[in-house]
Amino acid sequence: MKTYKIAAIPGDGIGPEVIAAGLEALEVLAKSDGGFRFDVEHFPWSSDYYLKNGFYIPEGGLEKLKTFDAIFFGAVGSQEVPDHVSLWGLRLPIAQGFDQYANVRPARVLPGVTSPLTGGQEIDWVIIRENSEGEYAGNGGRTHRGLPIETATETSVFTRAGVERIHRFSFELARTRPAKHLTLVTKSNAQRFGMVMWDEIFFEVAKDYPDVRTDRELVDAMTTRMVLKPQTIDTIVATNLHADILSDLAAALSGSLGIAPTANLNPERQFPSMFEPIHGSAFDITGKGVANPIATFWTASMMLEHLGQPAAAARMMKAIETVTATKLHTPDLGGKATTAQVTKAVCEQLK
Ligand code: ATP
């Protein structure tokens, strides 16, 4: 029987609640499938751990993570640690250290869920976020702190290799979808260096994919198109920052942040990939038992797909959709169900 080594990093806020739910569902699925099993190791890396030890990832931590088949990640972010410290302390060292350059974010309105958008039922998008450079390259500095001449710079970095590989990945993914349509999101009217190269390389790569229809949209116009003409969108490729913002909008338009999944992929499989719900720590509902676990179940389905278990991945999606269709919804979707009730219902389906 195939065994997959999974590193679970529940992290902060509702992270531990949804990761526990996700692991429970994965366990039930593996048992009923019978063809594979999971060997899960928990890593306590979180903001509490940081406050105690002074670091999120201990010495040798990334080396250890490398030995896993996949990383199942909850959330990072705490009221006691500045957000840029927690993000750069835990999530980004893994995503960048393991060259998980393709961040895949599907958005779809699940059965029984109502989109806040008129005509929103037509949403069926995949947003691909460049996940290794761009605005998140960490390239900048700050001098003369507190003085009137204080200066801070934050320079985006676009490399030909980085841009080409994400565009190629996006074309490959768009090609597998029924609509075979890829929209390039850009801001090359105002940003005339990196963004212009971003566009140029896209159209160079496009020549290798004549079967994929393309178009180009400025990021500001893209927000209105997502709201007013959702049916004209299929697959989207955008930079690290643009895609981050667009995918929160996509999640909200498809019902709730509580249902949106994401995969941080190292497509060449030199390193493990990382799977996480899009949402963050959500302190307002932490510990109340009402966090929506659907995003994490959908994330688990993406992980199964990546691990080479497409049938199990499809079964997970089917279980999720059967349960959302019954309107057993957590409060973020307008219901009264708890995390435990939704988890139990999904597990019942998986049995
Ligand atoms: P971050 O800054 O990391 O994005 P955050 O805590 O500021 O984190 P999110 O966690 O992304 O923000 O969520 C914003 C709000 O959306 C939360 O305060 C919560 O009300 C709601 N939310 C997010 N995820 C869920 C979920 N799984 N279930 C229910 N509600 C959720």
Side-chain angles (χ1 to χ4, degrees), residues 46-64:
S46 64
S47 293
D48 281 347
Y49 181 88
Y50 166 79
L51 290 169
K52 233 179 270 154
N53 300 294
F55 45 80
Y56 278 88
I57 303 178
E59 185 120 20
L62 282 184
E63 279 304 310
K64 173 117 203 259

Side-chain angles (χ1 to χ4, degrees), residues 98-339:
F98 288 173
D99 207 16
Q100 295 163 347
Y101 65 83
N103 186 195
V104 179
R105 303 180 156 206
R108 189 154 56 80
V109 182
L110 299 176
V113 174
T114 310
S115 165
L117 206 61
T118 316
Q121 298 307 120
E122 293 168 272
I123 292 174
D124 181 2
W125 305 331
V126 177
I127 300 179
I128 297 149
R129 172 183 179 182
E130 200 296 315
N131 211 30
S132 68
E133 53 176 36
E135 306 88 344
Y136 284 47
N139 180 38
R142 200 162 157 188
T143 62
H144 305 97
R145 278 187 194 242
L147 301 182
I149 56 162
E150 181 167 358
T151 307
T153 61
E154 188 99 42
T155 309
S156 300
V157 175
F158 293 93
T159 64
R160 176 166 279 276
V163 172
E164 183 174 344
R165 67 184 183 176
I166 196 65
H167 287 332
R168 205 164 279 287
F169 177 90
S170 304
F171 276 99
E172 290 289 339
L173 198 151
R175 181 176 256 183
T176 66
R177 291 173 50 81
K180 294 192 187 356
H181 177 215
L182 180 61
T183 300
L184 170 72
V185 171
T186 185
K187 192 64 191 171
S188 54
N189 56 343
Q191 296 181 305
R192 57 204 172 124
F193 306 112
M195 289 275 75
V196 170
M197 187 178 86
W198 168 260
D199 293 3
E200 280 173 13
I201 295 174
F202 178 87
F203 289 106
E204 284 169 28
V205 173
K207 291 185 191 135
D208 293 339
Y209 299 87
D211 53 325
V212 177
R213 278 187 307 125
T214 60
D215 59 3
R216 175 180 165 278
E217 198 74 80
L218 296 175
V219 64
D220 41 343
M222 194 64 189
T223 58
T224 51
R225 181 164 159 195
M226 285 166 76
V227 173
L228 300 176
K229 293 184 186 162
Q231 72 284 1
T232 67
I233 301 168
D234 176 43
T235 318
I236 299 168
V237 61
T239 64
N240 218 327
L241 178 63
H242 292 166
D244 184 35
I245 298 165
L246 293 181
S247 54
D248 261 31
L249 175 59
L253 294 177
S254 53
S256 163
L257 259 182
I259 57 175
T262 179
N264 300 277
L265 301 177
N266 172 247
E268 289 75 26
R269 296 175 185 260
Q270 295 152 315
F271 301 100
S273 293
M274 176 162 66
F275 300 83
E276 57 175 336
I278 280 187
H279 63 74
S281 309
F283 312 114
D284 52 333
I285 53 165
T286 299
K288 295 191 175 150
V290 293
N292 192 342
I294 296 291
T296 307
F297 297 150
W298 192 344
T299 296
S301 170
M302 294 181 86
M303 183 165 82
L304 287 161
E305 187 86 46
H306 180 77
L307 290 171
Q309 296 292 342
R315 274 185 65 206
M316 179 69 87
M317 275 323 288
K318 180 98 200 326
I320 293 170
E321 292 181 7
T322 307
V323 171
T324 57
T326 66
K327 300 263 180 196
L328 183 75
H329 292 169
T330 44
D332 56 304
L333 289 174
K336 288 203 170 74
T338 62
T339 312

